[in-house]
Amino acid sequence: MNFRFILFLSVLFVICSCTGPIKKEIPVLELNYPDNLHVVRRTEWGWKPLKRAMPEHEIRKITIHHGGVDYPKGKDPAEHIRQLQDWSRSAKGWIDIPYHFMIDTAGIIYEARPINYPGDTNTDYDPRGHALICLMGNYENATVNKDQLQSIIELTAYLVQRFNVPLYSIKGHKDYTETLCPGKNLYQYIENGTIQARVQDLLPK
Ligand SMILES: [Zn+2]
């Protein structure tokens, strides 16, 4: 081994130990909402970036959920979502919040898990291919107000167009498995076709 080669190896070693393993960027699909659809972006509520990824999916369905627990009166929704993110990662070991969108009691829509990754569930359906919308609160007990219903419809209409989802693939969690989710007071609007019909009204003719 000549001196030059040893020098070359030493330089290579220094470079490698300085840069460490090359970090791969985790891809996040960012959506461009129309001006008339207000969505609170992840960056606006203090989302912590993904630490790891999972296999991506293509959206083919839209599935509506509820939180399943009564929403604490007066609680800051952004705080609620931040806590849900921490719980999802630490207690459940999921990459993020199990849903792609959260809607609060005033009907404000928040981005949650990046939509290019399938959601997670405590039940036994396969969430791959589903865009998941969750209404905060328990709609076995609470009633859905006008603003919440309007937000579900407007967000769903956007997702239908963005991902070419057929109207018959707008469903509730309980259409896929044994659960009360999204609660009877919300499910009635899926079951009687109100949401699907009002989404259709918003689509370009
Ligand atoms: Zn659900």
Side-chain angles (χ1 to χ4, degrees):
M1 232 189 286
N2 68 30
F3 175 72
R4 278 186 161 188
F5 188 60
I6 291 170
L7 187 70
F8 169 71
L9 284 180
S10 316
V11 170
L12 197 67
F13 176 76
V14 170
I15 291 171
C16 291
S17 45
C18 288
T19 53
I22 297 159
K23 276 205 182 117
K24 253 177 81 188
E25 187 83 14
I26 297 176
V28 167
L29 175 62
E30 298 293 353
L31 298 173
N32 296 312
Y33 306 104
D35 290 341
N36 58 0
L37 179 67
H38 180 67
V39 178
V40 179
R41 296 269 184 182
R42 280 182 285 274
T43 49
E44 295 177 75
W45 61 257
W47 181 76
K48 294 176 190 148
L50 298 176
K51 292 197 180 110
R52 58 189 177 85
M54 63 193 288
E56 297 183 49
H57 70 159
E58 297 285 334
I59 298 297
R60 301 184 308 272
K61 303 159 193 265
I62 297 166
T63 306
I64 297 168
H65 298 257
H66 72 162
V69 286
D70 296 334
Y71 190 79
K73 227 180 153 65
K75 186 174 184 186
D76 174 15
E79 177 64 21
H80 181 76
I81 301 174
R82 285 192 293 269
Q83 287 170 354
L84 179 62
Q85 188 185 37
D86 289 342
W87 175 84
S88 301
R89 290 181 179 184
S90 60
K92 301 298 297 185
W94 295 333
I95 66 162
D96 206 353
I97 290 171
Y99 312 106
H100 300 110
F101 295 93
M102 304 288 297
I103 299 177
D104 72 14
T105 52
I108 296 169
I109 305 166
Y110 303 81
E111 288 182 333
R113 176 180 301 222
I115 199 152
N116 50 318
Y117 298 103
D120 270 296
T121 176
N122 287 318
T123 63
D124 65 357
Y125 81 105
D126 180 357
R128 284 177 295 182
H130 295 238
L132 306 179
I133 302 172
C134 177
L135 202 58
M136 298 181 207
N138 180 352
Y139 297 89
E140 279 293 298
N141 307 328
T143 52
V144 180
N145 65 46
K146 258 176 65 185
D147 293 338
Q148 290 179 308
L149 190 59
Q150 185 64 23
S151 291
I152 292 172
I153 290 161
E154 288 178 9
L155 175 61
T156 301
Y158 165 71
L159 294 170
V160 159
Q161 293 172 82
R162 175 65 179 74
F163 296 105
N164 262 317
V165 177
L167 293 174
Y168 61 77
S169 294
I170 302 168
K171 292 184 179 181
H173 186 177
K174 69 188 287 178
D175 291 314
Y176 294 101
T177 186
E178 194 67 44
T179 175
L180 290 174
C181 182
K184 62 179 190 296
N185 299 332
L186 173 51
Y187 187 69
Q188 62 170 331
Y189 297 114
I190 301 164
E191 197 176 25
N192 69 17
T194 300
I195 290 178
Q196 296 89 329
R198 286 182 53 189
V199 164
Q200 187 166 29
D201 285 345
L202 292 179
L203 301 180
K205 300 292 179 295

